[in-house]
């Protein structure tokens, strides 16, 4: 049941809805992974990495909300429940325990790299069915690429 009538054709809505749902799950998980690493990072670069992780969490949370609201506006019910995220995220989970700053940086650079590939696929998929959602993915991907660049520069 949809309480919101979508302006998109059914076949376009399926493509866009899948892209938005996939992005939502990935962003929720990115926020969780980044926060887990944030709480457990140790090492000589603790403070800079710790603060940088907070920036990633803020980006992930902001865009997760924007993506979910875009889905809702199109008549697609967003699903960010923990079990949905656990089943369908493209990001590897953070390991438990303390995380050396170098490993923390690598973990986030890798997670961001995976998400960037997935977001670029969503950019391509939404180009024709919904340029509005595509624009959202473009802005999001630019921010993820900036975060990844900053983490890669940490371990250069």
């Amino acid at each position: 049941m949809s309480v919101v009538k979508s302006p998109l054709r059914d076949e376009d809505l399926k493509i866009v809805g899948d892209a938005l749902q996939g992005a939502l799950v990935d962003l929720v998980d990115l926020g969780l992974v980044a926060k887990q690493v944030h709480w457990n990072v140790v090492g000589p670069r603790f403070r800079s990495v710790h603060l940088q992780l907070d920036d990633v969490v803020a980006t992930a949370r902001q865009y997760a909300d924007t993506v979910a609201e875009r889905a809702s506006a199109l008549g697609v019910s967003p699903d960010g429940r923990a079990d949905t995220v656990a089943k369908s995220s493209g990001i590897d989970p953070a390991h438990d325990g303390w995380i050396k700053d170098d490993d923390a940086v690598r973990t986030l650079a890798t997670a961001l790299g995976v998400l960037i590939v997935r977001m670029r696929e969503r950019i391509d998929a939404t180009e024709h069915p919904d340029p509005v959602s595509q624009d959202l993915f473009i802005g999001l991907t630019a921010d993820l690429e900036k975060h990844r660049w900053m983490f890669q520069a940490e371990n250069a």
Side-chain angles (χ1 to χ4, degrees), residues 45 52 105 109 145-156:
R45 293 180 298 151
Q52 199 172 354
V105 167
E145 288 174 348
K146 182 177 178 183
H147 285 302
R148 184 168 185 246
W149 157 58
M150 291 184 178
F151 278 109
Q152 288 177 322
E154 281 278 342
N155 277 353

Side-chain angles (χ1 to χ4, degrees), residues 7-155:
L8 302 179
R9 300 176 319 167
D10 287 345
E11 56 273 10
D12 291 342
L13 183 60
K14 172 76 171 116
I15 293 166
V16 175
D18 288 350
L20 290 166
Q21 178 59 38
L24 174 61
V25 164
D26 284 347
L27 289 165
V28 169
D29 202 23
L30 176 63
L32 293 171
V33 167
K35 204 50 145 166
Q36 180 66 23
V37 174
H38 167 89
W39 292 324
N40 287 284
V41 66
V42 294
R45 293 180 298 151
F46 163 80
R47 182 161 173 72
S48 65
V49 173
H50 184 80
L51 294 173
Q52 199 172 354
L53 288 161
D54 268 341
D55 290 343
V56 172
V57 170
T59 296
R61 288 178 178 170
Q62 174 192 355
Y63 275 107
D65 191 54
T66 301
V67 164
E69 289 178 355
R70 177 68 186 152
S72 293
L74 293 175
V76 175
S77 176
D79 186 356
R81 296 173 298 159
D83 62 323
T84 303
V85 172
K87 287 182 212 169
S88 49
S89 171
I91 303 172
D92 289 336
H95 67 77
D96 61 341
W98 303 116
I99 303 169
K100 183 86 175 96
D101 51 9
D102 288 348
D103 294 333
V105 167
R106 269 190 294 283
T107 296
L108 260 292
T110 299
L112 288 163
V114 168
L115 251 60
I116 289 164
V117 168
R118 291 168 65 100
M119 291 303 170
R120 286 184 166 273
E121 290 168 356
R122 293 172 181 129
I123 290 169
D124 291 342
T126 56
E127 178 181 8
H128 296 293
D130 186 24
V132 176
S133 293
Q134 182 196 40
D135 186 56
L136 190 159
F137 291 134
I138 291 169
L140 164 57
T141 302
D143 284 350
L144 293 176
E145 288 174 348
K146 182 177 178 183
H147 285 302
R148 184 168 185 246
W149 157 58
M150 291 184 178
F151 278 109
Q152 288 177 322
E154 281 278 342
N155 277 353

